[in-house]
Amino acid sequence: MAIQGFLVVSLLFSCLAATSYGEVTFSSLQESLIVTASPKLRQVLKAGEDNIIVSWSFNKSLAAGTDSSYKTVKLKLCYAPVSQQDRAWRKTEDHLNKDKTCQHNIVTKPYSSSNNTFTWTVERDVPTATYFIRAYVYNSADHEVAYGQTTDAHKTTNLFDVQAISGRHVSLDIASICFSAFAVVSLFGFFFLEKRKAKVSQAK
Amino acid sequence: MCPSRLHRQLFLSRRASPILLSTQLVVTIWKFETGQPSKNTVKFNMEGSYGAPESVQKRFALPVDSEHKATEFRLFSVAAPHMRAFHLSWVSFFACFVSTFAAPPLLPIIRDDLDLTATDIGNAGIAAVSGAVFARVVMGTACDLVGPRLASAALILITAPAVYCTAIANSAASFLLVRFFTGFSIATFVSTQFWMSSLFSSKVVGTANGVAGGWGNLGGGATQLIMPLVFSLIQNIGATKFTAWRIAFFIPALFQTLSAYAIFFLGQDLPDGNYSQLHKSGDKHKDSFSQIFRHAVTNYRGWILALTYGYCFGVELTIDNIIAQYFYDRFNVNLHTAGIIAASFGLSNIFSRPGGGILSDIMAKRYGMRGRLWALWILQTLGGIFCILLGRVGSLSVSIAVMIIFSVFVQAACGLTFGIVPFVSRRSLGIISGMTGGGGNVGAVLTQVIFFRGSRYSTETGITLMGVMILCCTLAIMLIYFPQWGGMFCGPSSKGTTEEDYYMGEWDSAEKERGIHMASMKFSENSRSERGKKVESAPTPANGTPNTYV
């Protein structure tokens, strides 16, 4: 009886421990940062070429001691809802360790309440999609405690687009066409050779 | 061991072997059964005899029968023409599988580059397996016309451009097109089986077919390892992600092209030469296509096996398409790890498909055809159960374990199916095999359309539902009934139907008078082994009047 009780308690305890360690939810975070980015509404940025200038600061209208536990800020490029449609690999989940909304890191910086800017060149592996920028704030235990984003709660305003590189090169195109042509020509060569062999053995 | 008279079986199915005329040895058909002399006069070779078996034997590294088909299967030999053809055919079939399933492990990169939705990805996966439905049935005809060597080399070379052009795809539509045309290449299954049946005697043809088929299917697993590896290698050399995957596709494309060259220059259609070099003189009875076709489509067992093959082989193709993405997305492993896990599904083909064929033969020895049917039903049902489980488990390690068990059962079921197919029909064996093979691809198309296209079901729900569908469709095996051997629940017909009655039912009396049914006669005698050990031999009817059995 005592052992069963002990097992139940330890099970409950480990569940609690799990929730307090890994299972931070987005809805539990406070939106305490104001984040702005340079792209205008629906501006198209080219991956690998164009820059984004991000600025973030603590929202002064909130109580003064709110940011006492804030240690680092991580800025991420996040998918807007229109780019998440029919793409389960970009789905938004409340549990942050399952959430796939923000898959591209911009920068990680130590927290300071004002005068933060960063210029980022859109990386070459960013796919074509519509984005916004979100900043997660971490405490010293490396858990998310707050956030800020360039768009509103419904993720409809201040969105911008990125045009990805295609990955194609002229040399690749030429190589593909040449090898393909070679394969087809070889096929005709095979049939021709085969007919000739047949004629030769017929003549014998 | 060496027959004193020259006796040749006429193969009158679509895979009829032509009369062989080589520059060294001239052989004709001597119809002892009907007493009719052949049209040509008997020709003597340079040594002044028919070609004594000993001198024939010396030409081949393996022991051969009177048709020069190998009676032994030596896996580690590459002796021409038998074992060399075996290795050429399984390697080329492997290459085609590698190409056809080269995209799935790289999908997490490709879907970002080409801006694909889940619907686009599903459609491309369906396209990849739908081409071969038709191509597999057509391949049988091609093998008949030009021989398996040219037919497979031609198909491989024609589909190689699709693989090269995957590197220049730039939209969902072009991606779908390249996957569609690449998928035609897995019709080389038919030429593999055809080629093995032309070179290996009935004692070992099951093993040759099972190993060639299984090791070819291995490509679907190996590609999940190869492509991420090649991709990361190219990335390390300095290419960006969106270029590296494109360059990576050149590897399967080159492999495919080289294998076609190897088949053409090193392979040989038949033990005594290639189709084109051999004169087709003498009595070669070309069976009527309409008759063969009629007997194939009216035999309900062929349709049932086509359906059930769709839920072992078809499921295998579907899993090849979706499993890497599933592990990448659900368990957050990296591309490389997802590839390794996905590969272990296809790699178990190395023993599980041949194992299924061997199990079928073991069951037949003891329990006859009924044993084969029960074994197929049991193993495929177990495959369905583990498929349901696979969608339900949430932890990575258990998921991998369940997937591996699932793969063994599903691939063994493929091997077991082709232990039954040769007995469904003798005259229309080629078309029945093509139908079953095509049915496998239809199953792959169906499961992907219903469960893995768009976002209606999450992938794990789709996998569970696919398992339920496997269970339901496998029940159809219970409907298969051979009057001479029985079915799963009924014994052989109380009317005393024999194997001769069943197989002779495919020939009418006019054809029998011409004597073109003799190969089926031989086959009926050999197939008595499907009665199993327990059953006593049934009486043979006096004049072979056929009862047509549907």
Side-chain angles (χ1 to χ4, degrees):
Chain A
M1 195 59 211
I3 294 177
Q4 284 170 345
F6 177 72
L7 282 171
V8 170
V9 168
S10 52
L11 201 67
L12 278 171
F13 187 75
S14 48
C15 287
L16 274 170
T19 41
S20 57
Y21 275 145
E23 302 289 305
V24 185
T25 60
F26 184 70
S27 44
S28 69
L29 298 182
Q30 191 179 19
E31 188 173 4
S32 54
L33 289 188
I34 301 173
V35 186
T36 51
S38 57
K40 303 191 186 47
L41 182 66
R42 302 320 293 258
Q43 183 184 349
V44 180
L45 300 167
K46 291 221 182 72
E49 287 175 26
D50 292 331
N51 292 335
I52 300 178
I53 306 169
V54 199
S55 324
W56 64 99
S57 60
F58 181 66
N59 185 351
K60 293 280 180 335
S61 59
L62 296 174
T66 317
D67 60 348
S68 52
S69 58
Y70 296 0
K71 272 286 177 298
T72 42
V73 179
K74 213 183 257 188
L75 280 131
K76 293 186 179 191
L77 196 63
C78 309
Y79 293 107
V82 63
S83 291
Q84 291 176 299
Q85 257 170 17
D86 206 13
R87 292 178 176 90
W89 57 90
R90 294 179 185 168
K91 206 159 159 224
T92 299
E93 294 271 353
D94 201 30
H95 284 292
L96 283 174
N97 52 7
K98 292 208 178 102
D99 180 42
K100 306 248 178 114
T101 321
C102 304
Q103 292 184 18
H104 303 275
N105 291 330
I106 297 176
V107 71
T108 305
K109 281 250 172 109
Y111 173 76
S112 89
S113 59
S114 58
N115 288 335
N116 300 296
T117 36
F118 185 74
T119 308
W120 186 61
T121 312
V122 183
E123 270 166 30
R124 289 162 64 84
D125 64 354
V126 174
T128 302
T130 310
Y131 297 91
F132 63 94
I133 294 180
R134 182 181 287 171
Y136 284 108
V137 185
Y138 294 82
N139 63 11
S140 45
D142 212 23
H143 293 142
E144 297 90 341
V145 287
Y147 77 98
Q149 58 189 27
T150 55
T151 185
D152 63 354
H154 296 286
K155 299 183 260 185
T156 49
T157 56
N158 287 337
L159 303 172
F160 58 93
D161 295 297
V162 171
Q163 179 66 42
I165 60 167
S166 80
R168 286 176 63 179
H169 292 281
V170 178
S171 49
L172 256 183
D173 293 355
I174 295 176
S176 289
I177 310 260
C178 283
F179 276 103
S180 305
F182 181 66
V184 176
V185 167
S186 311
L187 182 60
F188 285 112
F190 283 1
F191 275 108
F192 174 70
L193 272 175
E194 199 67 8
K195 276 220 164 85
R196 229 183 33 170
K197 258 194 246 178
K199 281 210 190 104
V200 164
S201 59
Q202 208 172 9
K204 276 195 190 153
Chain B
M1 204 195 86
C2 311
S4 55
R5 61 181 189 191
L6 209 66
H7 172 85
R8 175 169 287 268
Q9 262 182 309
L10 288 167
F11 284 90
L12 300 167
S13 68
R14 275 168 46 77
R15 292 186 278 134
S17 28
I19 310 299
L20 306 181
L21 192 152
S22 71
T23 51
Q24 293 158 313
L25 188 66
V26 175
V27 178
T28 68
I29 290 208
W30 196 260
K31 289 191 277 189
F32 287 104
E33 288 85 0
T34 58
Q36 294 170 22
S38 77
K39 277 199 225 143
N40 297 334
T41 53
V42 176
K43 295 202 177 108
F44 290 86
N45 70 1
M46 289 175 285
E47 294 154 341
S49 70
Y50 280 92
E54 294 89 44
S55 69
V56 164
Q57 194 61 65
K58 284 198 199 113
R59 282 173 45 206
F60 298 111
L62 271 65
V64 295
D65 63 10
S66 57
E67 293 171 277
H68 305 168
K69 290 188 179 183
T71 53
E72 260 179 46
F73 180 78
R74 288 193 201 145
L75 192 58
F76 297 109
S77 149
V78 283
H82 307 96
M83 292 316 300
R84 186 178 293 182
F86 164 77
H87 288 292
L88 285 171
S89 68
W90 84 258
V91 168
S92 61
F93 186 39
F94 177 94
C96 295
F97 250 91
V98 168
S99 306
T100 305
F101 294 101
L106 295 182
L107 266 176
I109 316 285
I110 300 177
R111 68 191 179 195
D112 278 344
D113 189 2
L114 302 182
D115 201 19
L116 303 175
T117 63
T119 310
D120 294 330
I121 294 174
N123 285 340
I126 293 164
V129 292
S130 53
V133 173
F134 182 62
R136 282 181 165 207
V137 185
V138 166
M139 196 59 170
T141 319
C143 286
D144 241 351
L145 290 176
V146 297
R149 175 178 149 262
L150 264 189
S152 56
L155 179 65
I156 295 172
L157 278 180
I158 286 180
T159 49
V163 192
Y164 286 117
C165 290
T166 312
I168 57 180
N170 61 355
S171 62
S174 52
F175 183 63
L176 184 133
L177 278 175
V178 290
R179 284 213 73 189
F180 177 65
F181 287 113
T182 307
F184 275 78
S185 63
I186 53 177
T188 42
F189 169 73
V190 178
S191 61
T192 302
Q193 308 284 290
F194 187 107
W195 208 356
M196 295 300 98
S197 305
S198 309
L199 292 172
F200 290 91
S201 73
S202 50
K203 266 197 288 175
V204 289
V205 75
T207 309
N209 275 342
V211 182
W215 287 11
N217 282 10
L218 214 56
T223 194
Q224 319 263 6
L225 275 177
I226 296 173
M227 294 306 286
L229 212 67
V230 170
F231 168 76
S232 46
L233 232 90
I234 297 175
Q235 239 194 330
N236 287 340
I237 293 177
T240 59
K241 257 173 37 176
F242 290 167
T243 307
W245 77 262
R246 296 173 181 276
I247 302 177
F249 268 85
F250 274 82
I251 304 300
L254 283 168
F255 183 22
Q256 207 176 310
T257 314
L258 286 172
S259 67
Y261 269 76
I263 290 179
F264 181 76
F265 288 111
L266 300 175
Q268 196 174 291
D269 288 313
L270 293 159
D272 293 313
N274 288 314
Y275 271 38
S276 58
Q277 291 170 284
L278 308 172
H279 272 297
K280 295 174 186 152
S281 67
D283 331 49
K284 186 205 171 195
H285 290 283
K286 211 161 188 229
D287 204 354
S288 143
F289 176 67
S290 57
Q291 285 285 65
I292 300 175
F293 188 74
R294 185 173 71 84
H295 284 292
V297 299
T298 52
N299 193 332
Y300 75 94
R301 300 168 197 86
W303 292 104
I304 293 182
L305 284 175
L307 169 71
T308 58
Y309 196 59
Y311 288 91
C312 54
F313 182 64
V315 162
E316 184 185 336
L317 290 183
T318 301
I319 297 276
D320 278 340
N321 258 336
I322 60 144
I323 198 76
Q325 239 190 320
Y326 171 68
F327 277 100
Y328 183 87
D329 290 332
R330 188 168 185 206
F331 298 104
N332 289 320
V333 295
N334 66 29
L335 204 66
H336 207 98
T337 311
I340 294 174
I341 299 170
S344 52
F345 176 83
L347 287 179
S348 55
N349 256 310
I350 202 170
F351 58 84
S352 45
R353 188 176 173 136
I358 293 170
L359 177 66
S360 193
D361 287 339
I362 292 174
M363 292 297 283
K365 245 192 234 162
R366 185 85 211 283
Y367 302 107
M369 175 55 70
R370 297 183 71 185
R372 292 190 196 265
L373 289 168
W374 270 100
L376 174 57
W377 181 78
I378 290 174
L379 262 76
Q380 197 161 318
T381 302
L382 281 170
I385 292 172
F386 278 93
C387 189
I388 294 175
L389 266 178
L390 179 63
R392 303 292 295 256
V393 296
S395 100
L396 179 62
S397 41
V398 181
S399 201
I400 295 174
V402 170
M403 185 197 70
I404 292 178
I405 300 174
F406 164 56
S407 72
V408 170
F409 283 123
V410 119
Q411 288 154 10
C414 295
L416 282 156
T417 307
F418 272 86
I420 298 175
V421 163
F423 297 100
V424 169
S425 162
R426 186 61 192 91
R427 188 174 187 183
S428 314
L429 175 58
I431 300 194
I432 297 267
S433 301
M435 268 167 63
T436 309
N441 282 65
V442 170
V445 170
L446 272 177
T447 48
Q448 285 181 92
V449 165
I450 299 173
F451 302 121
F452 299 108
R453 188 158 150 262
S455 304
R456 196 201 295 142
Y457 299 110
S458 67
T459 310
E460 50 265 30
T461 313
I463 292 176
T464 302
L465 291 175
M466 183 168 73
V468 175
M469 201 165 180
I470 296 175
L471 288 180
C472 297
C473 293
T474 307
L475 291 171
I477 297 175
M478 297 179 175
L479 299 173
I480 298 183
Y481 179 72
F482 288 91
Q484 70 276 33
W485 299 313
M488 273 175 74
F489 297 114
C490 313
S493 157
S494 49
K495 290 187 234 159
T497 319
T498 65
E499 290 80 3
E500 273 82 10
D501 297 332
Y502 180 82
Y503 291 110
M504 289 303 106
E506 298 179 323
W507 305 93
D508 61 33
S509 39
E511 288 163 336
K512 286 207 192 127
E513 256 165 59
R514 284 160 57 204
I516 57 177
H517 65 294
M518 298 317 296
S520 289
M521 216 37 191
K522 263 269 158 197
F523 183 76
S524 326
E525 286 166 29
N526 291 333
S527 68
R528 288 227 185 97
S529 55
E530 295 305 305
R531 297 186 186 182
K533 275 206 181 111
K534 291 184 179 171
V535 182
E536 299 295 302
S537 48
T540 334
N543 62 348
T545 318
N547 302 315
T548 22
Y549 285 97
V550 177

